[in-house]
mmCIF file of all heavy atoms in Angstrom:
data_model
loop_
_atom_site.group_PDB
_atom_site.id
_atom_site.type_symbol
_atom_site.label_atom_id
_atom_site.label_comp_id
_atom_site.label_asym_id
_atom_site.label_seq_id
_atom_site.Cartn_x
_atom_site.Cartn_y
_atom_site.Cartn_z
ATOM 1 N N VAL A 29 -47.772 -44.701 -61.417
ATOM 2 C CA VAL A 29 -48.598 -45.786 -60.913
ATOM 3 C C VAL A 29 -48.828 -45.568 -59.432
ATOM 4 O O VAL A 29 -47.888 -45.306 -58.690
ATOM 5 C CB VAL A 29 -47.929 -47.160 -61.133
ATOM 6 C CG1 VAL A 29 -48.798 -48.269 -60.594
ATOM 7 C CG2 VAL A 29 -47.656 -47.386 -62.611
ATOM 8 N N PRO A 36 -55.037 -56.860 -61.049
ATOM 9 C CA PRO A 36 -56.473 -56.590 -61.029
ATOM 10 C C PRO A 36 -57.219 -57.389 -62.093
ATOM 11 O O PRO A 36 -56.626 -57.844 -63.066
ATOM 12 C CB PRO A 36 -56.542 -55.098 -61.349
ATOM 13 C CG PRO A 36 -55.374 -54.888 -62.249
ATOM 14 C CD PRO A 36 -54.299 -55.839 -61.781
ATOM 15 N N PHE A 41 -61.440 -52.326 -65.150
ATOM 16 C CA PHE A 41 -60.760 -51.088 -65.491
ATOM 17 C C PHE A 41 -61.739 -50.022 -65.974
ATOM 18 O O PHE A 41 -62.710 -50.302 -66.672
ATOM 19 C CB PHE A 41 -59.732 -51.334 -66.599
ATOM 20 C CG PHE A 41 -58.467 -51.981 -66.125
ATOM 21 C CD1 PHE A 41 -58.324 -53.356 -66.162
ATOM 22 C CD2 PHE A 41 -57.416 -51.215 -65.648
ATOM 23 C CE1 PHE A 41 -57.147 -53.958 -65.747
ATOM 24 C CE2 PHE A 41 -56.233 -51.811 -65.227
ATOM 25 C CZ PHE A 41 -56.105 -53.182 -65.278
ATOM 26 N N LEU A 126 -56.144 -44.346 -65.834
ATOM 27 C CA LEU A 126 -56.692 -45.692 -65.819
ATOM 28 C C LEU A 126 -56.946 -46.056 -64.363
ATOM 29 O O LEU A 126 -56.041 -45.972 -63.534
ATOM 30 C CB LEU A 126 -55.706 -46.666 -66.454
ATOM 31 C CG LEU A 126 -56.173 -48.106 -66.666
ATOM 32 C CD1 LEU A 126 -57.285 -48.161 -67.710
ATOM 33 C CD2 LEU A 126 -54.996 -48.989 -67.100
ATOM 34 N N TRP A 128 -58.592 -48.861 -61.444
ATOM 35 C CA TRP A 128 -59.054 -50.209 -61.142
ATOM 36 C C TRP A 128 -58.880 -50.480 -59.652
ATOM 37 O O TRP A 128 -58.264 -49.698 -58.934
ATOM 38 C CB TRP A 128 -58.320 -51.252 -61.988
ATOM 39 C CG TRP A 128 -56.886 -51.502 -61.651
ATOM 40 C CD1 TRP A 128 -56.378 -52.474 -60.854
ATOM 41 C CD2 TRP A 128 -55.747 -50.773 -62.139
ATOM 42 N NE1 TRP A 128 -55.005 -52.417 -60.803
ATOM 43 C CE2 TRP A 128 -54.589 -51.373 -61.587
ATOM 44 C CE3 TRP A 128 -55.585 -49.681 -62.984
ATOM 45 C CZ2 TRP A 128 -53.298 -50.920 -61.855
ATOM 46 C CZ3 TRP A 128 -54.305 -49.224 -63.256
ATOM 47 C CH2 TRP A 128 -53.185 -49.839 -62.690
ATOM 48 N N HIS A 139 -53.369 -45.103 -62.872
ATOM 49 C CA HIS A 139 -52.153 -44.966 -63.673
ATOM 50 C C HIS A 139 -52.424 -44.017 -64.832
ATOM 51 O O HIS A 139 -53.429 -44.157 -65.531
ATOM 52 C CB HIS A 139 -51.711 -46.329 -64.210
ATOM 53 C CG HIS A 139 -50.566 -46.255 -65.170
ATOM 54 N ND1 HIS A 139 -49.333 -45.770 -64.819
ATOM 55 C CD2 HIS A 139 -50.473 -46.591 -66.492
ATOM 56 C CE1 HIS A 139 -48.528 -45.818 -65.861
ATOM 57 N NE2 HIS A 139 -49.196 -46.308 -66.891
ATOM 58 N N ASP A 156 -45.589 -46.090 -72.111
ATOM 59 C CA ASP A 156 -45.014 -45.690 -70.826
ATOM 60 C C ASP A 156 -43.505 -45.711 -70.959
ATOM 61 O O ASP A 156 -42.937 -46.643 -71.550
ATOM 62 C CB ASP A 156 -45.446 -46.638 -69.702
ATOM 63 C CG ASP A 156 -46.799 -46.274 -69.131
ATOM 64 O OD1 ASP A 156 -47.034 -45.082 -68.889
ATOM 65 O OD2 ASP A 156 -47.617 -47.191 -68.919
ATOM 66 N N ALA A 169 -45.542 -56.035 -62.294
ATOM 67 C CA ALA A 169 -46.779 -56.818 -62.237
ATOM 68 C C ALA A 169 -47.967 -55.982 -62.682
ATOM 69 O O ALA A 169 -48.841 -56.451 -63.419
ATOM 70 C CB ALA A 169 -46.995 -57.336 -60.813
ATOM 71 N N ALA A 170 -47.991 -54.710 -62.258
ATOM 72 C CA ALA A 170 -49.085 -53.828 -62.659
ATOM 73 C C ALA A 170 -49.015 -53.526 -64.148
ATOM 74 O O ALA A 170 -50.041 -53.525 -64.842
ATOM 75 C CB ALA A 170 -49.019 -52.530 -61.850
ATOM 76 N N PHE A 171 -47.820 -53.275 -64.667
ATOM 77 C CA PHE A 171 -47.678 -52.984 -66.094
ATOM 78 C C PHE A 171 -48.133 -54.167 -66.950
ATOM 79 O O PHE A 171 -48.745 -53.982 -68.003
ATOM 80 C CB PHE A 171 -46.225 -52.645 -66.431
ATOM 81 C CG PHE A 171 -45.799 -51.261 -65.999
ATOM 82 C CD1 PHE A 171 -44.587 -51.065 -65.351
ATOM 83 C CD2 PHE A 171 -46.599 -50.160 -66.255
ATOM 84 C CE1 PHE A 171 -44.188 -49.804 -64.958
ATOM 85 C CE2 PHE A 171 -46.209 -48.885 -65.855
ATOM 86 C CZ PHE A 171 -45.002 -48.698 -65.203
ATOM 87 N N GLU A 172 -47.856 -55.379 -66.500
ATOM 88 C CA GLU A 172 -48.283 -56.546 -67.261
ATOM 89 C C GLU A 172 -49.797 -56.683 -67.244
ATOM 90 O O GLU A 172 -50.420 -57.033 -68.262
ATOM 91 C CB GLU A 172 -47.629 -57.806 -66.700
ATOM 92 C CG GLU A 172 -47.947 -59.079 -67.487
ATOM 93 C CD GLU A 172 -47.582 -58.969 -68.959
ATOM 94 O OE1 GLU A 172 -46.578 -58.308 -69.292
ATOM 95 O OE2 GLU A 172 -48.328 -59.552 -69.782
ATOM 96 N N ALA A 173 -50.419 -56.405 -66.103
ATOM 97 C CA ALA A 173 -51.883 -56.437 -66.026
ATOM 98 C C ALA A 173 -52.481 -55.353 -66.919
ATOM 99 O O ALA A 173 -53.481 -55.579 -67.608
ATOM 100 C CB ALA A 173 -52.329 -56.235 -64.579
ATOM 101 N N ILE A 174 -51.858 -54.179 -66.931
ATOM 102 C CA ILE A 174 -52.321 -53.082 -67.787
ATOM 103 C C ILE A 174 -52.209 -53.466 -69.258
ATOM 104 O O ILE A 174 -53.102 -53.189 -70.060
ATOM 105 C CB ILE A 174 -51.500 -51.806 -67.484
ATOM 106 C CG1 ILE A 174 -51.884 -51.242 -66.110
ATOM 107 C CG2 ILE A 174 -51.709 -50.754 -68.559
ATOM 108 C CD1 ILE A 174 -50.958 -50.145 -65.627
ATOM 109 N N ARG A 175 -51.098 -54.135 -69.614
ATOM 110 C CA ARG A 175 -50.919 -54.576 -71.002
ATOM 111 C C ARG A 175 -52.078 -55.479 -71.434
ATOM 112 O O ARG A 175 -52.637 -55.320 -72.528
ATOM 113 C CB ARG A 175 -49.593 -55.321 -71.130
ATOM 114 C CG ARG A 175 -49.284 -55.772 -72.559
ATOM 115 C CD ARG A 175 -48.120 -56.773 -72.574
ATOM 116 N NE ARG A 175 -46.939 -56.210 -71.969
ATOM 117 C CZ ARG A 175 -46.058 -55.454 -72.609
ATOM 118 N NH1 ARG A 175 -46.256 -55.166 -73.879
ATOM 119 N NH2 ARG A 175 -44.989 -54.999 -71.982
ATOM 120 N N ARG A 176 -52.437 -56.428 -70.571
ATOM 121 C CA ARG A 176 -53.531 -57.339 -70.914
ATOM 122 C C ARG A 176 -54.848 -56.587 -71.028
ATOM 123 O O ARG A 176 -55.672 -56.881 -71.902
ATOM 124 C CB ARG A 176 -53.629 -58.445 -69.860
ATOM 125 C CG ARG A 176 -52.430 -59.398 -69.855
ATOM 126 C CD ARG A 176 -52.761 -60.690 -69.120
ATOM 127 N NE ARG A 176 -53.189 -60.450 -67.747
ATOM 128 C CZ ARG A 176 -52.358 -60.395 -66.713
ATOM 129 N NH1 ARG A 176 -51.049 -60.530 -66.900
ATOM 130 N NH2 ARG A 176 -52.809 -60.199 -65.495
ATOM 131 N N ALA A 177 -55.051 -55.607 -70.159
ATOM 132 C CA ALA A 177 -56.298 -54.852 -70.198
ATOM 133 C C ALA A 177 -56.416 -54.059 -71.494
ATOM 134 O O ALA A 177 -57.474 -54.040 -72.132
ATOM 135 C CB ALA A 177 -56.370 -53.909 -68.995
ATOM 136 N N TYR A 178 -55.339 -53.397 -71.914
ATOM 137 C CA TYR A 178 -55.386 -52.632 -73.159
ATOM 138 C C TYR A 178 -55.662 -53.543 -74.354
ATOM 139 O O TYR A 178 -56.255 -53.120 -75.351
ATOM 140 C CB TYR A 178 -54.074 -51.887 -73.376
ATOM 141 C CG TYR A 178 -53.869 -50.709 -72.451
ATOM 142 C CD1 TYR A 178 -52.590 -50.399 -71.983
ATOM 143 C CD2 TYR A 178 -54.922 -49.907 -72.044
ATOM 144 C CE1 TYR A 178 -52.382 -49.316 -71.134
ATOM 145 C CE2 TYR A 178 -54.731 -48.841 -71.195
ATOM 146 C CZ TYR A 178 -53.451 -48.540 -70.740
ATOM 147 O OH TYR A 178 -53.259 -47.476 -69.901
ATOM 148 N N GLY A 179 -55.233 -54.792 -74.243
ATOM 149 C CA GLY A 179 -55.495 -55.733 -75.318
ATOM 150 C C GLY A 179 -56.982 -55.973 -75.547
ATOM 151 O O GLY A 179 -57.394 -56.348 -76.643
ATOM 152 N N TYR A 185 -49.517 -51.952 -76.212
ATOM 153 C CA TYR A 185 -48.895 -51.325 -75.046
ATOM 154 C C TYR A 185 -47.383 -51.468 -75.141
ATOM 155 O O TYR A 185 -46.858 -52.556 -75.376
ATOM 156 C CB TYR A 185 -49.390 -51.960 -73.750
ATOM 157 C CG TYR A 185 -48.773 -51.341 -72.512
ATOM 158 C CD1 TYR A 185 -48.997 -50.003 -72.207
ATOM 159 C CD2 TYR A 185 -47.961 -52.088 -71.673
ATOM 160 C CE1 TYR A 185 -48.432 -49.419 -71.080
ATOM 161 C CE2 TYR A 185 -47.391 -51.521 -70.540
ATOM 162 C CZ TYR A 185 -47.625 -50.191 -70.255
ATOM 163 O OH TYR A 185 -47.051 -49.619 -69.145
#
Side-chain angles (χ1 to χ4, degrees):
V29 180
F41 283 93
L126 186 67
W128 71 96
H139 173 62
D156 276 315
F171 284 134
E172 184 56 35
I174 289 170
R175 182 193 303 275
R176 293 198 303 270
Y178 288 145
Y185 180 63

